[in-house]
Structures are given as C-alpha cells and as structure tokens.
Amino acid sequence: MTRTAVITGGASGLGEACARRFAAEGARVWILDANAARAADVAGDIGDGARSAGVDVTDEAALLAVAERIEGDTGAPDILVTSAGILETVATVMDEDMDIHDRVWAVNYRGTVSSCRAFGRQMRAAGRGAIVTIGSVNSFSALPLPAYGPSKTAILRLTQILSVELGRHGVRVNAVAPTYVITPAMQARIDAGERDPAVIRASGALDMLVMPRHIADVVAFLCSDAAAAITGVTLPVDAGYAAAVSYKSFAGGLPWKA
C-alpha cells in the first residue's frame, strides 16, 4: 500500500530532505510550508505525485483546513514529520528580545502541537500512523539559546505524552534530536559569522558535519516497520555530541589530544 507522508517545514532543510527521502521510497508526499512558492517548487522537482500547500503552523485553523483537504484527497496520512522550526541567535534570558522569544515558541512548540493535533486525530481515527517530531541536542543540554533550547526540551516531553495518548490507537510518536545540521538556515549563520564550522566539527565524537540527509535517514527508519516497537523515544542524531561534550570537558584532562 502506498503511504502518505505529510512534512511541515518541508520546503527546505530537514523537512525537504525528509520529503525527498519518503518520495524516493514511493510515498505520496505533502509538503507544507509558510513559503508556498518554495514548497510548490520542491514538490514539482520531486514529481511522482508530490503535492504542496502554503500554511503557517502557528495558524491552527489553517492547519486544520489543510488536514481536511489532505484527508479528502489521499486519506488519513500514514506519516507526519513536524519539521517546521526557526532558530535564534545567542542571547541571555535577561536581555533577549521577547518578541523573538515568543515567535520561536509559537513556531517550534505551538506549531508542533497544532500539527500533531490536526493530523494525529486523523491517524487516531484510522488506527495507524507514525509521527516524528524534531527536537535538538538542546533537548538534553543547556546552551545560550534561551527560547530555542527550552522549546526543544518541551518537544521531548510532548513526544512522550503523545506516544502514550496515541499508542493504543496504533500511532507511534518519536522524535529525533539533531546536532548542528548544515541546513540553509545554519549555512546563513555560518556565512554571517554567527557559527564556526570548525567548532561544529570539533564538538562531536565524529569528525564530521551532519547534513539534512543524515536526519532524513533516521526519520525514515522511525516511520518504518523496522521500528514497530519503538515509541516515545527522542533519538539523538548528533555525531556523538552528547558523549563528547562531557568527555572533552573532564577536569582531569584527556588521555589523548581531542
């Protein structure tokens, strides 16, 4: 049976990589994004029945309307990836622009909740489905991103809650927690001097830069039958960042030159 995959934030970055990966597996892909023109371009480039809709995930009414349209066209989705999200620059809690803070929370957390409500209800009624939310290394550790970090920590707990709410209805809910990924948004910050790729490479256990396709591979796994017994998990895809941060900061020194 051909699966239907809905990807929010699917016009670029992690979302686009996921859309392309699921399309390559033969899924019908719906690309949702606030940038309607870019979403349409990506869908057109993918072809094979890929479709798009312009929608801002902070607008729950618009999401519900799109969900109704999708269900009418292709039935309840089998897969939902909530990739819509925005970054912020380094700041302190004391000095952060609260308008930026509220926008980050509106997109990253409220947008994820609204997306899961809109499509999770359809999956619940159908008795099947797999949802993957997008957390972050910030879900596990404190970094100087006072809106982004807590919003991604909230995604971890939301994922656990949803896994229990929807599990008895045949719907699995997991999250991936990427490290720094070289998305267009991250590349723009690198180009602006706000991020250092050498520091990013050195932050993990593996000497590599994580690309969107690496995240898409794991998302595809979590939505596959191979992950049938996995739910409520936030899986780091971090090139060993979580292990390396504590290891490399050991006050007693390192047995080798990191």
Side-chain angles (χ1 to χ4, degrees):
M1 182 181 72
T2 300
R3 298 187 299 171
T4 298
V6 174
I7 318 293
T8 71
S12 65
L14 304 185
E16 180 180 352
C18 289
R20 292 183 182 279
R21 173 60 191 262
F22 284 119
E25 293 184 352
R28 289 183 297 253
V29 174
W30 280 88
I31 298 168
L32 311 187
D33 204 283
N35 187 337
R38 172 63 183 164
D41 287 345
V42 172
D45 187 50
I46 290 174
D48 297 324
R51 303 181 188 185
S52 68
V55 63
D56 186 332
V57 294
T58 66
D59 185 342
E60 186 167 23
L63 266 174
L64 290 170
V66 169
E68 184 176 350
R69 171 188 164 196
I70 291 173
E71 186 174 36
D73 284 354
T74 54
D78 303 279
I79 294 164
L80 169 65
V81 181
T82 60
S83 187
I86 56 176
L87 300 173
E88 67 174 324
T89 56
V90 171
T92 66
V93 174
M94 298 297 103
D95 299 322
E96 183 180 29
D97 183 325
M98 290 304 291
D99 287 339
I100 294 175
H101 173 279
D102 293 347
R103 178 62 181 168
V104 169
W105 269 88
V107 175
N108 293 2
Y109 182 72
R110 178 65 182 268
T112 298
V113 172
S114 295
S115 299
C116 289
R117 282 162 56 91
F119 295 100
R121 288 167 178 157
Q122 296 176 348
M123 292 179 171
R124 181 179 63 186
R128 54 167 173 73
I131 298 173
V132 176
T133 60
I134 306 297
S136 167
V137 293
N138 289 261
S139 299
F140 302 101
S141 59
L143 295 175
L145 301 168
Y148 183 85
S151 77
K152 291 300 184 178
T153 303
I155 294 298
L156 183 154
R157 195 66 69 219
L158 173 68
T159 299
Q160 293 174 323
I161 293 169
L162 285 171
S163 73
V164 180
E165 285 191 10
L166 297 176
R168 296 300 179 186
H169 300 280
V171 181
R172 296 184 299 106
V173 188
N174 292 293
V176 294
T179 184
Y180 309 98
V181 182
I182 309 305
T183 61
M186 179 60 75
Q187 187 61 55
R189 280 164 171 73
I190 290 172
D191 295 342
E194 297 173 4
R195 300 287 192 276
D196 184 342
V199 172
I200 293 173
R201 291 185 72 101
S203 66
L206 299 175
D207 182 19
M208 66 178 292
L209 293 175
V210 176
M211 307 304 291
R213 69 177 184 276
H214 297 127
I215 310 304
D217 288 342
V218 177
V219 171
F221 162 71
L222 289 172
C223 293
S224 73
D225 290 342
I230 301 175
T231 197
V233 167
T234 296
L235 179 60
V237 188
D238 65 355
Y241 174 89
V245 166
S246 58
Y247 186 101
K248 293 179 180 181
S249 64
F250 178 54
L254 299 179
W256 54 281
K257 185 176 181 180

